[in-house]
Amino acid sequence: MALAGCGGTKDEVASTSDKTTETGASELLSLYDSISTETKYVAMSDLPEIAAKESYTIGVAMTDVSTGWFKALYDHVNEKLTEAGVTVNLVQCNDDAAMQVDQINTFIAQGVDAIIINPANPQETVTSALDDCAASGIPVVAVDTPPETGSAYMTACVTDAYSLGKMVGMELATRLLEMYPDMESIPYGMIGGTDGNSIAAARNQGARDGIAEVDQEGRIEERTFLYAGAYSEESGLTTAQNMLAANPDLKCIVGTCDAHIVGATSAAEQLGLDENLIMGAVDGSKSAYEIMLDDGPIVALGLNSPYEVGEAAVRVILGYLNDGTIPDSKTLQLEPTLVTPENVQDYYDPNSAF
């Protein structure tokens, strides 16, 4: 089981409004320290049910809700908490860590019961606000991205960025070697996200390692790597245009996220190169699925579902607030899944918001 009862009620384990700040901080930090730092894979069925035994108010601090993935994450978190009868306070900071600190301090002043945070960069800036939450006895669960190592939070509900990237790399390499059995050097390009983003870097390195594991002879060559500077279709389009203009012989493009290769598909179509390329990335968006279903160049997607990580965070925080149930790991990872043209129908939802 991914979660276990902590041996007492919430009021016995963590600070609430009737305890002093010092006692609340001490007990909540002790609880955090008791949770294993060994990453655990988790299934949704392992987690507490979505129910609220009291009238809770939960602050949700997002980096951004303007892009499809992050909007779907927040919408699902909001939907599940609201269905349970929880009052939700949403803030977003446009990845401005200093702004996120101010927003969390406002949550503390409001006396929220708990916080779900999607940490902004640089993460070390947010650490002080997490310390303040612990000092006020407010439990924090992270979603999608873990806070800085050693900071004060209960757990992070994430997907395995490296393994997803590796799955994509292995699938692309397998297809490339089948498509070009006699080509001595098979060039590909990789679209990075933003320099310094640890999740993006893990996806990129996973893809490289997956390609290398399949391509034992080293025939598949990374010809070019360009940062897109964002995680949008527009940035993917522009970056792919530059990449393909300089390297029209590329046989594959690996994106950090689906938006990159959706944009890259448009770029390849504009240049008349879409039939010469295959592409893959991590996320699993409706737009990428539709390109895959239409026999487009996208053939490998690592499933990074905003719905799954969001629901996991909701279940964890409600389990703690209701019964003092705590996770047995500081990092709960959902099982990695690869989507290809062969199984995409199992994952495509035409009514999905993302």
Side-chain angles (χ1 to χ4, degrees):
M1 295 293 288
L3 291 107
C6 62
T9 66
K10 174 183 61 135
D11 289 340
E12 290 169 337
V13 175
S15 163
T16 54
S17 59
D18 62 343
K19 293 187 177 181
T20 66
T21 297
E22 291 77 10
T23 302
S26 174
E27 295 188 357
L28 196 52
L29 288 172
S30 294
L31 184 150
Y32 290 164
D33 288 343
S34 74
I35 300 173
S36 171
T37 57
E38 181 181 354
T39 298
K40 303 287 186 182
Y41 279 111
V42 64
M44 210 65 70
S45 58
D46 296 330
L47 303 175
E49 65 178 1
I50 298 177
K53 292 185 177 180
E54 299 178 22
S55 298
Y56 304 125
T57 297
I58 295 179
V60 179
M62 297 288 299
T63 58
D64 186 19
V65 296
S66 64
T67 61
W69 195 93
F70 287 107
K71 186 176 188 305
L73 170 61
Y74 167 68
D75 285 347
H76 196 66
V77 168
N78 182 49
E79 176 186 351
K80 292 301 179 182
L81 287 174
T82 301
E83 286 177 357
V86 173
T87 298
V88 180
N89 290 350
L90 166 70
V91 293
Q92 62 171 322
C93 67
N94 299 314
D95 211 26
D96 182 333
M99 181 182 294
Q100 190 168 70
V101 168
D102 290 340
Q103 292 168 338
I104 292 171
N105 286 333
T106 298
F107 282 156
I108 294 171
Q110 292 170 342
V112 299
D113 295 290
I115 293 172
I116 294 175
I117 183 175
N118 177 220
N121 284 307
Q123 292 178 13
E124 56 266 26
T125 301
V126 183
T127 298
S128 63
L130 299 182
D131 291 339
D132 292 339
C133 289
S136 300
I138 298 173
V140 175
V141 168
V143 63
D144 180 47
T145 304
E148 183 184 30
T149 301
S151 56
Y153 68 99
M154 184 176 294
T155 194
C157 300
V158 303
T159 51
D160 186 344
Y162 176 83
S163 293
L164 289 172
K166 187 173 183 180
M167 282 181 165
V168 169
M170 292 180 72
E171 179 67 18
L172 291 172
T174 299
R175 291 174 181 263
L176 287 169
L177 293 175
E178 290 174 353
M179 292 167 66
Y180 304 104
D182 301 321
M183 186 176 289
E184 185 174 327
S185 178
I186 307 170
Y188 77 93
M190 182 175 290
I191 300 176
T194 52
D195 190 10
N197 184 299
S198 61
I199 299 298
R203 292 181 182 186
N204 297 157
Q205 190 58 48
R208 291 187 178 103
D209 291 349
I211 290 170
E213 186 168 315
V214 171
D215 179 28
Q216 300 273 323
E217 298 178 352
R219 292 169 50 209
I220 302 175
E221 168 203 356
E222 183 176 327
R223 175 79 60 78
T224 177
F225 175 92
L226 296 176
Y227 282 115
Y231 302 90
S232 64
E233 292 181 20
E234 293 77 11
S235 67
L237 170 64
T238 301
T239 306
Q241 286 173 332
N242 294 333
M243 185 175 284
L244 291 169
N247 303 275
D249 61 333
L250 291 182
K251 303 304 181 187
C252 175
I253 293 178
V254 185
T256 299
C257 63
D258 281 14
H260 288 161
I261 55 171
V262 171
T265 296
S266 296
E269 289 172 347
Q270 292 171 10
L271 295 168
L273 299 173
D274 51 306
E275 294 186 3
N276 301 333
L277 287 161
I278 61 172
M279 303 185 192
V282 174
D283 271 341
S285 66
K286 183 168 68 173
S287 296
Y289 287 157
E290 289 172 347
I291 292 171
M292 186 179 282
L293 286 164
D294 288 340
D295 296 321
I298 297 176
V299 297
L301 296 168
L303 182 58
N304 176 42
S305 169
Y307 306 108
E308 290 188 355
V309 292
E311 182 168 329
V314 168
R315 288 176 178 270
V316 169
I317 201 63
L318 288 178
Y320 175 71
L321 291 175
N322 285 333
D323 303 308
T325 304
I326 62 171
D328 68 355
S329 172
K330 295 284 286 187
T331 306
L332 299 178
Q333 284 185 339
L334 298 169
E335 291 284 351
T337 300
L338 180 70
V339 182
T340 68
E342 289 71 32
N343 67 354
V344 63
Q345 288 284 6
D346 296 336
Y347 298 94
Y348 175 64
D349 177 3
N351 299 314
S352 173
F354 172 70

